[in-house]
Amino acid sequence: HAPRWTQTTYHSDREHDAPLARATMSQLNEKLVQPRESSGAMPQNLSEARKLLINFVTMTVCFSLNHASVTSCIALATSSGLPGNLGSYSVAVLYACYVVTAMLFSQVIIFYCSQKGSLTGSLAVYALYVASYLVAALVESDTVKWVAVLFGASIGGIGAGVLWTAQGAYYSENARLYALAKGVTKEEATGYFGSIFACFYLGFEVLLKIIGSVVGLYATGDAAKYAIYILYTAIAIGSTVGMTTVRNMRAEDTVGGDGVTIEKIDMTKKVLSALKLLFTNAKCALMVPTNFAFGFAAAFITAYIQGSVVSPVYSDDGHTDDEVADSQSQHDARVLLYSSIAVGVATAMSMPFFYLKKQAGTAVVMVLGAICFVFVAAMSYALDDGELRHALWIVYIVYGCGRSIWESTTKAVFADFFPDDPQAAFANIVLQSGLASTVAFFVFPDLSPLQKEVILGVTATLGAICFSIASFIHQGEQKAKEVEGGYMSVNDDNQV
């Protein structure tokens, strides 16, 4: 329809009314072209906006460096020469503590510690998690190694459960204040901050793994045992100190803010709402295989491929201590390099998969993600360790594609499937994928390669089938709502 002002009828005395009409049209045009500036609702304070931007970048850099050091240690957990199955069990403990804390205790902790305090404290315990691997590399006693690494994994998981909740609240409040100071909408500020966060978060993860790989390649002798962990521990501690310099924000509408009292926090709300959605909504239940496939794939890559396939590690029999240390260092370097490939591919493919989703539909991309995980299992089944070792770059590229789809498209599907209950929907992602990873890291060390390959392949295949059924149900619900009152999917395609 034409704008209202184009349909206005003026008085017959056009010469008398023309200046008024032109002035009125000019004012209306200014409001249409420059709504933010003319409304006066969002005054600009560019100096404050610049400080808030620098504050957000500081938070992002510290967060990303610390988290990158943690993910690098997780990549090395099953290949770092720890005794028995300690590496795999430690990651399982990490995931278990993460899920429990995120679902039950994160809001209470943030309330008492504030957003900044929770961020700093979480990074501090993350640093202890990284340092536990350094302790394990320095000591000879297997008992001390078990105690140090499992303790580090436990508190690291608790920190992870608080960290992401606190980061989301801090992110939201920083963006809100920036929007007010800059004179833009909160949506614009959030989108801008999101691109900044993604750049540093993924970039530092790739960078630190590459740097660790280089350190592992050139470190020799005794230094090879712990050089990588000294590097990551120093980065984790430094980034924790850096986080103490950011602003201590207290938002009125976020957990830990002035408008929230401890009586208003229901510790069981998140987990109960997630379980209710899981057991009462068929679409949520049908998404379980997809999330389990991602959790199993992560464990398959970390606990099996990186632990046993990447490169051989010499034993003490027939080799000197330096030779054993050098072989372990070379192995760790390759693990970090391959891991960086997966992260880099996941980052680079996010936009191509987004455009593919627009052109071919969400279902095509989701099925493609399942095929990626099936391909990883099939490659492992078809080739022995020696042959697979020469084709690992293909495995990690394909796994990176599958991870990219899960990180973006799968989460968008949950947002589209459950627009009226997003908290319960995303809590299910944490619950389902976290539970799968916990179980897999505990169980996979005792399974044969064939059993792990079958579990991953079958779960991923079920994920594609079950998603197709969930998509069919969702399309039926959409059509019914369109008839009732006009409901449109947040996805622009006809399929979800």
Side-chain angles (χ1 to χ4, degrees), residues 221-306:
D222 290 337
K225 296 180 181 179
Y226 46 79
I228 291 177
Y229 297 114
I230 290 177
L231 170 67
Y232 290 146
T233 301
I235 292 174
I237 293 173
S239 58
T240 302
V241 174
M243 187 64 79
T244 63
T245 65
V246 302
R247 291 191 182 188
N248 188 17
M249 297 183 183
R250 293 185 63 84
E252 294 181 358
D253 300 322
T254 55
V255 173
D258 297 329
V260 180
T261 63
I262 190 64
E263 290 79 10
K264 296 180 181 179
I265 299 177
D266 185 352
M267 291 174 57
T268 62
K269 180 180 179 180
K270 185 185 291 187
V271 66
L272 290 179
S273 64
L275 292 175
K276 180 181 178 181
L277 185 67
L278 176 62
F279 289 110
T280 62
N281 191 301
K283 293 184 296 184
C284 188
L286 287 166
M287 291 302 294
V288 169
T290 295
N291 286 318
F292 267 51
F294 174 75
F296 289 161
F300 185 85
I301 290 291
T302 304
Y304 174 55
I305 298 296
Q306 293 174 182

Side-chain angles (χ1 to χ4, degrees), residues 130-207:
V130 176
S132 71
Y133 284 89
L134 176 59
V135 172
L138 290 172
V139 301
E140 297 295 333
S141 171
D142 286 352
T143 301
V144 175
K145 293 177 188 288
W146 276 89
V147 172
V149 173
L150 289 181
F151 172 75
S154 300
I155 62 172
I158 294 171
V162 176
L163 180 64
W164 284 102
T165 305
Q167 187 270 346
Y170 195 94
Y171 177 115
S172 178
E173 178 62 5
N174 202 148
R176 184 185 72 84
L177 294 176
Y178 176 81
L180 291 174
K182 186 70 173 178
V184 298
T185 64
K186 184 178 179 181
E187 289 73 19
E188 290 175 303
T190 301
Y192 179 43
F193 280 13
S195 62
I196 293 173
F197 183 83
C199 179
F200 282 108
Y201 177 73
L202 296 171
F204 278 135
E205 184 171 352
V206 173
L207 179 62

Side-chain angles (χ1 to χ4, degrees), residues 11 56 69 128 151 189 239-240 268 277 309 317 327 344 359 388 391 468:
H11 297 293
F56 180 78
S69 65
L128 289 176
F151 172 75
S239 58
T240 302
T268 62
L277 185 67
V309 178
D317 298 335
S327 69
Q359 296 298 320
L388 184 59
S468 299

